[in-house]
Amino acid sequence: SQQGEEDPQALSIQEGENATMNCSYKTSINNLQWYRQNSGRGLVHLILIRSNEREKHSGRLRVTLDTSKKSSSLLITASRAADTASYFCATSGGSYIPTFGRGTSLIVHP
Amino acid sequence: SQTIHQWPATLVQPVGSPLSLECTVEGTSNPNLYWYRQAAGRGLQLLFYSVGIGQISSEVPQNLSASRPQDRQFILSSKKLLLSDSGFYLCASEALAGEVGEQYFGPGTRLTVT
């Protein structure tokens, strides 16, 4: 399975700190995506990184991809209470249909 | 950008009753559409996807079915609900103007089978 697995399962930090979440997967991929889900809501797409890319930025988000280690990380800098949510990685292979991990629950304390 | 509508937002149904969840999409044409189920504290399980009207692919054998009667309408159904069908159901549409695989999600339907 190319399902991504996020680590840690839960993360609790103070406002202003950086939050780092990791995603590991087992088979080769075409791209990897990160999504955010507020409690009881749908998912929101954050960023997509292709297999031939190593790093992408979007605002306070930084995503890295290491295909040799089959892993990715999502860094949120200068976190805010509003960043409290669950974060999911989703990997896509030949079919480009994303397979989602179980997510990291992030709590940012004001 | 696309807007995904889902209804109802919450639903409580007894075991053995039928189910119909509807999803409609605005802002795009001929999208790839997806139904996912999310158990509490878990990731998303892909149930069905559709690449066009009347074209449905099932990923998980179960007592659920899906139909796509119109280009931007995707329906999830069951003739008889089981307790195990409880969960959070999400409809998604592929962002055809974006990268392949990038998806827009609806707000979800919380289904409780009692």
Side-chain angles (χ1 to χ4, degrees):
Chain A
S1 166
Q2 56 200 19
Q3 179 181 22
E5 288 294 337
E6 294 89 345
D7 171 64
Q9 291 186 349
L11 183 60
S12 181
I13 60 174
Q14 294 296 126
E15 211 166 28
E17 295 179 339
N18 295 341
T20 300
M21 289 158 268
N22 303 295
C23 173
S24 60
Y25 57 93
K26 296 182 178 178
T27 61
S28 62
I29 60 172
N30 287 317
N31 63 50
L32 184 146
Q33 305 177 64
W34 285 93
Y35 288 80
R36 165 195 169 124
Q37 183 181 34
N38 285 69
S39 180
R41 308 292 294 273
L43 278 71
V44 175
H45 184 265
L46 296 176
I47 200 163
L48 181 150
I49 187 165
R50 300 173 188 164
S51 59
N52 61 353
E53 297 176 312
R54 292 298 167 258
E55 188 171 314
K56 285 188 84 169
H57 296 257
S58 178
R60 293 183 296 111
L61 305 181
R62 172 178 170 249
V63 169
T64 61
L65 178 64
D66 187 335
T67 53
S68 67
K69 294 182 179 179
K70 293 187 171 57
S71 67
S72 173
S73 67
L74 169 67
L75 169 67
I76 304 174
T77 59
S79 63
R80 305 166 181 168
D83 294 327
T84 294
S86 292
Y87 293 82
F88 294 87
C89 71
T91 53
S92 297
S95 69
Y96 285 96
I97 296 175
T99 302
F100 290 81
R102 298 185 179 187
T104 291
S105 175
L106 172 66
I107 297 175
V108 181
H109 299 280
Chain B
S1 64
Q2 301 180 37
T3 302
I4 317 300
H5 300 281
Q6 282 187 251
W7 63 91
T10 59
L11 191 60
V12 180
Q13 292 282 96
V15 169
S17 63
L19 172 74
S20 181
L21 302 181
E22 189 162 346
C23 168
T24 58
V25 181
E26 290 182 7
T28 188
S29 296
N30 196 30
N32 293 338
L33 298 176
Y34 304 80
W35 276 112
Y36 293 92
R37 177 169 61 201
Q38 184 178 30
R42 302 293 294 271
L44 276 65
Q45 178 188 31
L46 178 62
L47 301 175
F48 301 94
Y49 69 93
S50 171
V51 299
I53 295 175
Q55 300 180 63
I56 309 294
S57 295
S58 174
E59 291 294 303
V60 182
Q62 58 209 323
N63 68 321
L64 299 173
S65 62
S67 62
R68 185 170 176 176
Q70 300 181 43
D71 180 45
R72 291 172 289 175
Q73 183 185 28
F74 204 20
I75 297 172
L76 182 69
S77 303
S78 174
K79 292 182 179 178
K80 288 185 177 182
L81 284 168
L82 306 173
L83 285 174
S84 58
D85 291 324
S86 292
F88 191 49
Y89 287 82
L90 289 158
C91 177
S93 172
E94 189 162 340
L96 297 182
E99 295 275 357
V100 177
E102 181 180 333
Q103 297 186 348
Y104 289 98
F105 281 80
T109 294
R110 174 80 56 194
L111 172 66
T112 303
V113 182
T114 60

